[in-house]
């Protein structure tokens, strides 16, 4: 690991800044924040109106002077000031007062694999603005692997795939470090977008931004496999008239539409395996791939990976919070480092 476990044990709280959701783990209290990464702002006064779930519900339903912003994109903070304001509101006064009692407040944060120095600096400045005197950065892949219980500290291969909203990260881990990894700029949002474009071009139907989750509606019960009903009904707005309308959509067409972004994920997995040492690939043949992240719950995605790779594919018990739980386990000291005893002379 780039950061020692001893340094992480000195941290008082950890933050997982995701494009879709923000999670905060406080040492001794557990996961205290699990909310959408959204904030509603009054553009006339600059006042913050709502954050988290309430701000998410306001998306697409606000008057012109209220704007819903997302200060985090692809795991990177793009608006430091707004991210700080959002985090302050999500934490609440009571939790902030408890954290400020630590004179040398330390924080830990997840960063995407191969994040550039500017992205890392933005994350650090965001937490420094909350009062942190020191910020430790942990690769999201390692934090997620720890959170779902993979033996990352052992000399054996484990493969993890973090399926995020904006990107998918794939890595092979051994001895607490990343052996080979790939970050694919395709996530749950790209799959959603493919379905929205299909409905717009084929059926001249626009979906509400929040009222209908395309994946859950179009793929419920069938996933990416051909089993299940051939048609499904979707409600939306007619492109030409603006009136509400329902259409019957062929689920096979939906599966075909999302093959392009999912194929990019398969290409990334293949690249990681090609760059991995043969001994570790042999380990993976038995252990397979562990999927974490909110987009790992896409119905049938795991089955598609099994058929394409021929490897076992497992979804973590709580895939959406694995990274935050992994950071928490490191803060609480529940992870024991591998100790190499020198040979006796």
């Amino acid at each position: 690991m780039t950061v020692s476990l001893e340094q992480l044990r000195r941290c008082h709280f950890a933050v997982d800044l995701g494009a879709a959701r923000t999670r905060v783990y406080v040492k001794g209290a557990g996961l205290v924040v699990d909310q959408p990464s959204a904030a509603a702002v009054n553009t006339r006064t600059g006042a913050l109106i709502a954050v988290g779930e309430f701000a998410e519900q306001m998306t697409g339903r606000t008057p012109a002077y209220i704007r819903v912003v997302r200060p985090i994109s692809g795991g990177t903070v793009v608006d430091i000031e707004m991210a700080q304001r959002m985090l302050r509101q999500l934490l609440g006064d009571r939790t902030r007062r408890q954290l400020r009692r630590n004179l040398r407040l330390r924080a830990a944060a997840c960063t995407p694999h191969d994040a550039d120095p500017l992205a890392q600096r933005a994350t650090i400045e965001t937490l420094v603005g909350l009062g942190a005197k020191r910020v430790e950065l942990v690769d999201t892949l390692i934090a997620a692997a720890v959170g779902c219980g993979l033996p990352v500290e052992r000399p054996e291969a484990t493969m993890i795939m973090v399926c995020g909203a904006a990107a998918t990260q794939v890595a092979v881990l051994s001895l607490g470090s990343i052996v080979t990894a790939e970050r694919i700029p395709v996530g749950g949002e790209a799959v959603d977008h493919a379905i929205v474009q299909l409905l717009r071009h084929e059926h001249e139907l626009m979906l509400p931004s929040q009222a209908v989750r395309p994946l859950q509606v179009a793929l419920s019960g069938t996933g990416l496999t051909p089993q299940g009903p051939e048609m499904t009904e979707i409600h939306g707005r007619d492109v030409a008239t603006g009136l509400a309308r329902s259409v019957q959509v062929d689920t096979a067409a939906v599966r075909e539409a999302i093959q392009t972004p999912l194929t990019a994920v398969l290409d990334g997995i293949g690249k990681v395996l090609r760059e991995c040492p043969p001994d570790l690939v042999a380990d993976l043949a038995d252990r397979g791939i562990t999927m974490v992240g909110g987009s790992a719950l896409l119905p049938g995605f795991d089955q598609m990976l099994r058929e394409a790779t021929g490897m076992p594919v497992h979804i973590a018990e709580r895939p959406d919070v694995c990274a935050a739980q992994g950071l928490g386990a490191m803060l609480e000291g529940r992870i024991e480092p591998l100790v190499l005893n020198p040979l006796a002379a």
Side-chain angles (χ1 to χ4, degrees), residues 176-196:
S177 298
I178 296 173
V179 178
T180 178
E182 184 73 14
R183 188 167 184 262
I184 308 128
V186 171
E189 292 175 352
V191 178
D192 277 1
H193 181 71
I195 296 177
V196 169

Side-chain angles (χ1 to χ4, degrees), residues 158-219:
T158 54
M159 189 170 189
I160 188 165
M161 185 167 77
V162 180
C163 309
T168 300
Q169 303 173 70
V170 186
V172 175
L173 310 176
S174 181
L175 289 172
S177 298
I178 296 173
V179 178
T180 178
E182 184 73 14
R183 188 167 184 262
I184 308 128
V186 171
E189 292 175 352
V191 178
D192 277 1
H193 181 71
I195 296 177
V196 169
Q197 291 301 309
L198 168 73
L199 296 174
R200 184 181 180 92
H201 294 150
E202 298 293 330
H203 301 278
E204 297 185 347
L205 190 76
M206 291 183 65
L207 292 182
S209 58
Q210 295 298 323
V212 177
R213 289 293 297 168
L215 296 178
Q216 280 71 12
V217 174
L219 299 177

